[in-house]
Every structure is written in structure tokens, then in C-alpha cells.
């Protein structure tokens, strides 16, 4: 919610809020997007365009009116263009529409706050346009809603706004009445920053009444409070106000207060405040007859104000410059800056009489000085007689310029030819790069075929894990994640991917399967996966191991041995969840990756935690733990890598996380395993949306 500040001295103004690209190619914005008529986007600053783009994107994507209002309030609070008024009316319209539909209490309170904010902003708009009576009506309407909501801090701010209006109207009694009300509430709720503002504002009233002793007391009290809460901006305002009092007293003390205020403005990067502070320092130097320093600071103030398009301070800096130049008898400059001061005053509704009086006086001084220059008139006439000669010089200059222009065109033509040749070279290099890229992609795709060959076939998986699914989605063409399966019937082993007729004769086999996540993804991850896959195979085939924990111990030993053959210190490896099933008895061991079990009629997930170490080189190594679990028909178990839960997505672009994955699995637990696969795949794609996949994904689900 916007607030009204006094147009006297400088007061700390609190902005009260209940909330916290489209390409601008055409002159008037599309109403379907911008929501309002006749918005000239070409006149908007880049900052305003950014504010509109971000807020309107949020508006159009919002699914509820409360979120749409939040987006519009960002515009009303931050947009510098006058179009904020139209967006404010939209906030009011949406809030009133929802309040008529009797929403739940929490939404009713939210819409009431937004309605109060919109009405307050209408009061600010009326104040800025000079319609002060209507502004007071709006503020009182806002006040009624705030009192219903018992928003004490907001009530105090509205009292402050009403006091500001009465100050503009010259009703000092009413001004003090509302400022005292605002102060009383802020003292009650212990709002120290608000108290400092109220005290500063009351001091301003006494300043205008020329009761300087009282004003100084209030300003010093506000300064102490601003220091206490660490509000450098508030301190700068109070220091400036104290400096103004000493300036009125013709005391040299004022200068030091203005300089301290300016220093604080520079520290907090307040450009507008710096412009104001530079004017005050210039005024103090002028009062103390230090004309050179006054001119220096006044020029800095004017340059900064002009660069910011800050009319109020352009007027102030122009006015002090006119006084300085007048004191130096530079009447032409004095008149120039005074006229600029008057022009700026007109735009901010200032008094015509003061402008006309000072302008006439300065013009009179200028005309007196101009009379002294009349003696030079004859000499100037002689200069005119020389114009004929100068004309010849001009003609020769034009001829020379034409010659230079011809040379320039020749130069440009030559550069264009060179550019054309360079473009041809670039095209050749581009073609070479594309050929090399194709060779690399062909190599990676061949590597994908090799990696696919070491993975268990769908036929083998369905033969031994009848009710199961494997959701496998590499980030790149090749992956660091892989899944693994081997079986054993009595003393005979069958290996994934091997066409072994003995599958048909084995009974109640031991089924070993795993989901593994090797270091990295893409080509580096795929290379590590080959080493780790081979280590698992050797642990079973060469060393005859069957228990998951012993398989992981031996796999870790093999992987370390393989990587130690290099002179480099290689610490790559893998995280893995490894399971063995035989006659409904499950054995599990894991390296960082857990096992989740959903019992047939359970509503929770039973999590079997892994040993907290990877397959690879670590500082302190320990044996892997084994867990034995008895399963019943209908129980489901899940092992996985971390790619799914680490994927960024959703409305806020956050990670999916393990808790959400548990919710998903519990939600679909009664579905067939092929249906679970489809739902998991759809959920992942919907969550990821247009964002990049961050890692390889592998989830294995098995139902007993």
C-alpha cells in the first residue's frame, strides 16, 4: 500500500504492503496480456517492463484470485509509470467480487486486506492529483476496513496519511491530531521504527510553525530511535531536518548534519536521497558564504537529479545555482537556472507569485549588465563583415569533407570484401566442426549399444521377476546408472543377457538384482559403470559369492584394485542397492542406497537403510551390513538411484525429494506393476516439464 509523505522538509515514508517478456514490439500493449487499455509500452522504463513481465506472467499462471491479486499488488507497489492506478483498480474489483461470494475466513481476511490497500492507494492517487478532499474520504474508508481487521500497524500508517493531507491543507490542529493518533498506536505495539517516523513528522509540523526549539527536540528524538533500530535512511532524514533548523538559525552547525546525512545516503546507495543531500550541503555552504564549495555541491546535485529525471530536486538544485550565480554577478547563468527552477516548480504545483517576482528581479539585473555590453555592438558588426570570407572557407571545407566521405566509402567497401572472405572461412570451419561432432555422436551411440548389451534383457527380467518394472531413463545417450540381474538354481548360475536353455529347468532360483548409480553421468559415468558391472559379475562368477553383503565387499575390493592401476588418485565408484530373493526370503545390502518395502495391506513404507559408504576408495572402510526380511505374497519392494528425487521441477522449480516419491508409491501401490511404471513415467515427465533432466534415473519395483 502506497503512503503519503509530507511535502515539507524530508520525512521518512513507510511503504505499507499486504504482500510482499513478452516482447514489447508494439506501441500499445495487448489488453489480453496487459489487462488494461492504452498502455504505451514504448514509454515504459526497462525496470517497469521487467516488473510488468514478471507480475503478469504470475497473474496469467495463477489458479486462484488470491494469487492474481498478489501479482497485481507487485505492480501497484513498484511500477513508476502512472499505469499503476489502473492495476490498482483491478485489485479493488477482484477483491470486491470475491468478498461478495462469502469466501472462507482466511481468504476473506486476505481479500479485505487487499481491498483496504487498493482504497488507500486511491487516496494516494487523489493526493498526487490535488484532489485532497477525495483523498481523505478514501483514507477513512480504508481505515474502517483496517479497524475491522485489527491491523494496528496499518491503522497507524493510515492515520499518518490523513495527517499528511491535513498538513497540505494547512489545518495544523487536525494534522497534529492524526499524527498523535498514529504515534499512540505505534507506541502501544512497540513499533520503534514507526515511532521514529511519527516523532519526525510531528517535529516537521513544529518546524513549519517556526517553533524551532520543539522541532529540534522531536528531530533529535527520532534520530536516536533510528540509530537504535539501525535505520540509516531514517537517520539521514532526521540529520537533514536538524541541519535545516540550524540553517534557519544561521548557525554553522547545520553543515555537519547535512554532510553526515549525505554520507549515510551514499552508504545505502540512495541516489534520490543523495541528490537531496547535495542540495542541503550546497545551501549550508552558501549560508556560510563558502561560494566555491556551494557551487561544487549544487552542480553535483543538479547533475545527479537531471540524470534521474527527479523534477523536485532539479528545481531545488537549479534554484540554489541561480542564487550562487547571482551572488557572483553571473546574471545570464542565474536567469537560466532560475527559469529552469520555475519550470520544475510548475510541474509540482508551486506558487506563481514567488516565481514571477524572482524572475523579474533577476531579469532586471541581467538587463543592466547587458547594457554594459552595448558598447561592443560596432565591433560585432565588423565581425559580420568578415562572413563573406568565412563562406569561402566553408565551401572549401565541404569539398574536403566530400573527398573524405568518398575515401570512407572505399574503406567500407574494402572491409565488406574482407568480411565476406572471413565469412567463407567461418562456414568451412563450421562444416568441419559439424563433421567432428557427428563422429563423436556416432562413437557415443556405439557406446550406448555396448552398454545396452551388458544390461539384462526384458525377457530375462520378466522370466525371473514376473511382476516387476524397471523405470530407466539416462540423462544423456549413455548413463552412469545401470540395473543388474543374475540367478542361481542350486549350484548352477544363470547370467543376465546370456541365452541359457537351463533357465527352463531351474526351480526356485536365487534371484540377485540391483540398481546402481556410478559417479557422474554421460560418457564418464558410463565408463565407470562398465568397471563396476564387471566387478559385480566377477564377485559372483569367479568368487562364487551369493550373500549381498559379501558381494558388495568383494565388488568394492575389485573396483579399488582396477582404479589403483592408474597413477592418478581415482576416487570414482558407485552407490548401489543389491537384493537376493529365494522362496519369499529377501536378503539386502546397500551402499548409500536404501530398500523400500510396502507390505500388502500397509499404508506406510518400511525403509531398510543402507551402509553409509560407497563402492570405491574411502578414508575409513567398513564391511557392508546384510538384512534378512521375510516377505509375503502381495508385498512390494523398490530399489532406486537418486536421480528421480533430485529432479528439479513443479511450479516452483524445486527438487522432487524422497518424501514425495514415497507418497507417489503409496498412492499407486494397488496398481499392476506395468501400470505403476506408466504412472511413474508420467509423473516424472510432468514434474520435469521443460526443465533439463539433472541426472540418470533408475527405479526397480518388484511384487512378490
Amino acid at each position: 500500500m502506497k503512503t503519503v509523505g509530507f511535502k515539507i522538509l524530508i520525512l521518512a515514508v513507510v511503504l505499507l504492503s499486504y504482500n510482499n517478456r513478452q516482447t514489447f514490439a508494439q506501441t500499445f500493449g495487448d489488453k489480453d496480456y496487459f489487462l488494461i487499455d492504452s498502455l504505451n509500452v514504448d514509454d515504459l522504463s526497462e525496470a517497469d517492463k521487467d516488473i510488468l513481465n514478471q507480475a503478469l506472467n504470475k497473474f496469467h499462471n495463477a489458479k486462484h484470485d488470491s494469487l492474481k491479486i498478489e501479482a497485481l499488488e507487485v505492480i501497484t507497489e513498484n511500477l513508476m509509470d502512472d499505469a499503476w492506478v489502473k492495476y490498482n483498480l483491478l485489485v479493488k474489483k477482484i477483491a470486491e467480487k470475491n468478498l461478495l461470494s462469502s469466501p472462507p475466513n482466511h481468504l476473506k481476511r486476505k481479500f479485505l486486506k487487499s481491498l483496504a490497500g487498493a482504497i488507500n492507494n486511491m487516496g494516494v492517487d487523489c493526493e498526487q492529483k490535488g484532489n485532497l478532499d477525495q483523498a481523505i474520504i478514501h483514507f477513512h474508508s480504508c481505515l474502517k476496513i483496517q479497524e475491522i481487521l485489527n491491523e494496528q500497524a496499518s491503522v497507524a500508517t493510515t492515520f499518518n496519511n490523513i495527517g499528511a493531507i491535513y498538513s497540505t491543507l494547512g489545518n495544523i490542529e487536525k494534522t497534529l491530531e492524526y499524527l498523535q493518533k498514529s504515534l499512540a498506536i505505534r507506541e502501544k505495539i512497540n513499533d520503534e521504527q514507526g515511532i521514529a517516523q511519527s516523532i519526525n513528522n510531528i517535529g516537521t509540523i513544529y518546524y513549519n510553525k517556526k517553533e524551532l526549539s520543539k522541532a529540534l527536540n522531536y528531530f533529535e528524538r527520532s534520530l536516536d530511535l533510528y540509530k537504535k533500530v539501525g535505520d540509516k535512511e531514517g537517520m539521514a532524514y532526521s540529520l537533514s531536518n536538524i541541519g535545516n533548523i540550524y540553517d534557519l538559525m544561521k548557525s554553522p552547525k547545520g553543515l555537519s548534519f547535512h554532510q553526515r546525512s549525505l554520507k549515510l545516503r551514499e552508504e545505502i546507495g540512495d541516489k534520490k536521497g543523495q541528490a537531496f543531500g547535495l542540495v542541503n550541503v550546497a545551501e549550508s555552504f552558501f549560508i556560510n558564504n563558502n561560494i566555491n564549495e556551494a557551487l561544487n555541491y549544487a552542480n553535483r546535485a543538479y547533475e545527479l537529479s537531471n540524470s534521474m529525471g527527479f523534477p523536485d530536486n532539479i528545481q531545488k538544485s537549479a534554484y540554489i545555482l541561480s542564487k550562487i550565480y547571482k551572488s557572483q554577478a553571473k546574471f545570464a547563468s542565474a536567469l537560466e537556472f532560475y527559469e529552469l527552477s520555475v519550470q520544475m516548480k510548475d510541474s509540482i504545483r508551486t506558487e506563481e507569485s514567488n516565481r514571477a517576482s524572482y524572475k523579474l528581479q533577476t531579469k532586471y539585473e541581467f538587463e543592466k549588465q547587458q547594457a554594459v555590453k552595448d558598447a561592443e555592438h560596432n565591433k560585432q558588426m565588423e565581425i559580420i563583415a568578415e562572413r563573406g570570407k568565412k563562406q569561402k572557407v566553408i565551401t572549401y571545407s565541404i569539398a574536403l569533407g566530400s573527398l573524405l566521405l568518398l575515401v570512407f566509402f572505399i574503406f567500407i567497401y574494402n572491409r565488406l570484401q574482407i568480411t565476406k572472405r572471413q565469412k567463407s572461412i567461418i562456414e568451412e570451419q563450421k562444416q568441419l566442426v559439424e563433421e567432428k561432432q557427428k563422429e563423436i555422436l556416432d562413437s557415443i551411440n556405439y557406446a550406448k549399444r555396448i552398454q545396452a548389451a551388458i544390461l539384462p534383457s526384458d525377457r530375462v527380467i520378466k522370466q525371473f521377476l514376473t511382476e516387476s518394472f524397471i523405470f530407466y531413463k539416462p540423462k544423456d545417450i549413455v548413463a552412469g546408472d545401470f540395473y543388474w540381474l543374475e540367478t542361481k538354481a542350486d549350484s548352477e548360475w544363470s547370467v543376465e543377457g546370456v541365452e541359457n536353455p537351463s533357465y527352463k529347468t531351474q526351480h526356485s532360483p536365487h534371484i540377485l538384482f540391483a540398481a546402481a548409480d556410478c559417479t557422474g553421468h554421460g560418457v564418464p559415468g558410463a565408463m565407470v559403470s562398465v568397471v563396476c558391472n564387471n566387478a559385480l559379475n566377477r564377485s559372483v562368477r569367479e568368487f562364487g559369492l551369493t550373500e549381498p553383503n559379501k558381494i558388495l565387499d568383494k565388488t568394492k575390493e575389485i573396483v579399488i584394485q582396477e582404479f589403483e592401476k592408474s597413477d592418478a588418485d581415482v576416487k570414482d565408484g558407485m552407490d548401489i542397492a543389491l537384493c537376493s530373493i529365494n522362496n519369499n526370503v529377501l536378503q539386502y545390502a546397500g551402499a548409500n542406497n536404501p530398500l523400500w518395502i510396502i507390505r500388502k495391506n500397509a499404508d506406510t513404507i518400511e525403509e531398510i537403510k543402507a551402509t553409509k559408504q560407497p563402492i570405491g576408495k574411502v578414508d575409513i572402510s567398513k564391511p557392508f551390513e546384510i538384512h534378512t526380511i521375510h516377505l509375503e505374497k502381495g508385498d512390494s519392494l523398490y530399489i532406486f538411484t537418486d536421480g528421480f528425487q533430485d529432479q528439479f521441477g513443479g511450479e516452483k522449480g524445486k527438487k522432487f525429494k524422497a518424501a514425495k516419491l514415497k507418497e507417489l508409491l503409496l498412492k499407486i501401490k494397488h496398481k499392476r506393476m506395468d501400470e505403476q511404471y506408466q504412472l511413474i513415467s508420467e509423473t516424472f515427465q510432468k514434474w520435469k516439464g521443460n526443465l533439463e533432466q539433472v541426472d540418470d534415473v533408475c527405479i526397480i519395483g518388484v511384487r512378490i
Side-chain angles (χ1 to χ4, degrees), residues 587-640:
Q587 288 188 314
Y588 155 79
N592 288 327
N593 287 354
L595 163 69
W596 288 355
I597 300 174
I598 302 179
R599 299 291 183 176
K600 181 178 181 180
N601 296 314
D603 292 324
T604 59
I605 288 181
E606 180 181 337
E607 180 172 349
I608 313 300
K609 295 187 179 297
T611 304
K612 292 298 180 181
Q613 72 175 2
I615 300 295
K617 188 175 182 180
V618 293
D619 294 332
I620 301 176
S621 182
K622 57 185 176 182
F624 287 95
E625 302 171 10
I626 189 167
H627 302 270
T628 301
I629 303 102
H630 292 276
L631 301 174
E632 296 181 2
K633 185 174 179 60
D635 291 348
S636 299
L637 58 96
Y638 301 89
I639 56 177
F640 45 85

Side-chain angles (χ1 to χ4, degrees), residues 21 24 41 44-54:
R21 196 156 281 246
F24 296 85
V41 295
L44 296 174
S45 67
E46 290 303 319
D48 277 355
K49 289 179 182 179
D50 287 339
I51 291 166
L52 279 175
N53 261 337
Q54 294 176 21

Side-chain angles (χ1 to χ4, degrees), residues 257-275:
F257 284 96
H258 288 311
Q259 288 175 324
R260 288 164 60 191
S261 175
L262 177 59
K263 183 178 179 182
L264 286 172
R265 295 291 189 188
E266 291 170 344
E267 287 178 4
I268 63 177
D270 179 6
K271 295 293 186 182
K272 187 174 181 180
Q274 289 175 43

Side-chain angles (χ1 to χ4, degrees), residues 313-497:
N313 223 54
I314 292 175
Q315 183 271 322
K316 288 182 173 67
S317 56
Y319 182 70
I320 184 62
L321 281 169
S322 73
K323 290 201 298 184
I324 293 169
Y325 283 126
K326 182 181 174 184
S327 71
Q328 294 177 327
K330 297 179 180 179
F331 298 113
S333 296
L335 179 59
E336 176 188 350
F337 280 102
Y338 181 74
E339 287 181 337
L340 176 60
S341 169
V342 169
Q343 181 185 351
M344 291 297 106
K345 269 194 172 183
D346 285 344
S347 68
I348 53 177
R349 306 188 303 273
T350 58
E351 296 179 1
E352 287 288 337
S353 58
N354 289 338
R355 182 190 68 218
S357 174
Y358 191 86
K359 180 178 178 181
L360 288 172
Q361 181 183 354
T362 309
K363 185 176 181 182
Y364 170 71
E365 296 290 347
F366 173 71
E367 288 174 350
K368 282 201 309 182
Q369 188 186 41
Q370 191 67 28
V372 177
K373 297 182 179 180
D374 287 343
E376 300 178 5
H377 179 68
N378 293 332
K379 185 176 181 180
Q380 291 175 350
M381 295 302 293
E382 293 175 2
I383 294 173
I384 293 173
E386 296 291 326
R387 287 180 179 174
K389 297 179 181 179
K390 290 183 179 179
Q391 186 61 44
K392 292 182 180 180
V393 175
I394 293 172
T395 302
Y396 293 141
S397 298
I398 292 173
L400 179 60
S402 299
L403 179 61
L404 291 174
L405 188 60
L406 177 61
V407 172
F408 174 73
F409 280 129
I410 293 173
F411 172 77
I412 292 296
Y413 176 78
N414 182 57
R415 295 307 303 172
L416 287 173
Q417 293 299 110
I418 294 174
T419 302
K420 186 176 180 180
R421 290 195 296 271
Q422 290 174 338
K423 183 179 179 181
S424 175
I425 295 171
I426 291 171
E427 288 295 335
E428 292 176 1
Q429 292 176 339
K430 178 184 176 184
Q431 184 177 355
L432 180 61
V433 169
E434 289 175 349
E435 290 175 357
K436 292 297 182 183
Q437 184 181 35
K438 184 178 182 301
E439 291 177 6
I440 293 170
L441 286 175
D442 288 344
S443 298
I444 295 174
N445 283 318
Y446 188 74
K448 178 184 179 181
R449 292 170 56 192
I450 296 173
Q451 187 176 48
I454 68 173
L455 296 175
S457 67
D458 292 342
R459 181 184 63 77
V460 172
I461 291 169
K462 288 302 179 183
Q463 180 178 355
F464 294 104
L465 299 175
T466 307
E467 290 193 63
S468 67
F469 71 82
I470 298 178
F471 179 65
Y472 182 63
K473 192 174 182 63
K475 177 184 184 298
D476 301 308
I477 297 174
V478 289
D481 287 11
F482 69 92
Y483 51 94
W484 178 84
L485 183 144
E486 289 205 13
T487 63
K488 178 184 179 183
D490 297 327
S491 61
E492 184 176 359
W493 282 92
S494 60
V495 183
E496 80 289 346

Side-chain angles (χ1 to χ4, degrees), residues 506-656:
Q506 294 171 355
H507 301 283
S508 301
H510 289 272
I511 304 170
L512 285 163
F513 61 95
D517 181 1
C518 296
T519 306
H521 48 75
V523 174
M527 295 178 69
V528 177
S529 74
V530 171
V531 174
C532 294
N533 186 287
N534 180 62
L536 284 169
N537 291 336
R538 288 183 60 194
S539 298
V540 174
R541 299 172 191 174
E542 292 184 21
F543 297 95
L545 300 176
T546 60
E547 294 179 330
N549 62 322
K550 293 181 179 179
I551 293 173
L552 293 188
D553 288 334
K554 177 55 69 175
T555 299
K556 179 181 177 184
E557 179 185 331
I558 294 170
V559 168
I560 293 173
Q561 287 175 354
E562 290 296 321
F563 286 142
E564 281 182 344
K565 294 176 181 178
S566 169
D567 291 334
D569 185 17
V570 180
K571 292 187 177 181
D572 291 312
M574 69 174 170
D575 296 338
I576 188 172
L578 174 61
C579 296
S580 169
I581 297 179
N582 180 255
N583 294 324
N584 291 358
V585 176
L586 169 70
Q587 288 188 314
Y588 155 79
N592 288 327
N593 287 354
L595 163 69
W596 288 355
I597 300 174
I598 302 179
R599 299 291 183 176
K600 181 178 181 180
N601 296 314
D603 292 324
T604 59
I605 288 181
E606 180 181 337
E607 180 172 349
I608 313 300
K609 295 187 179 297
T611 304
K612 292 298 180 181
Q613 72 175 2
I615 300 295
K617 188 175 182 180
V618 293
D619 294 332
I620 301 176
S621 182
K622 57 185 176 182
F624 287 95
E625 302 171 10
I626 189 167
H627 302 270
T628 301
I629 303 102
H630 292 276
L631 301 174
E632 296 181 2
K633 185 174 179 60
D635 291 348
S636 299
L637 58 96
Y638 301 89
I639 56 177
F640 45 85
T641 61
D642 59 4
F644 197 103
Q645 53 197 310
D646 284 348
Q647 179 60 46
F648 290 98
E651 292 183 0
K652 298 182 179 180
K654 294 185 176 181
K655 285 186 177 182
F656 194 86

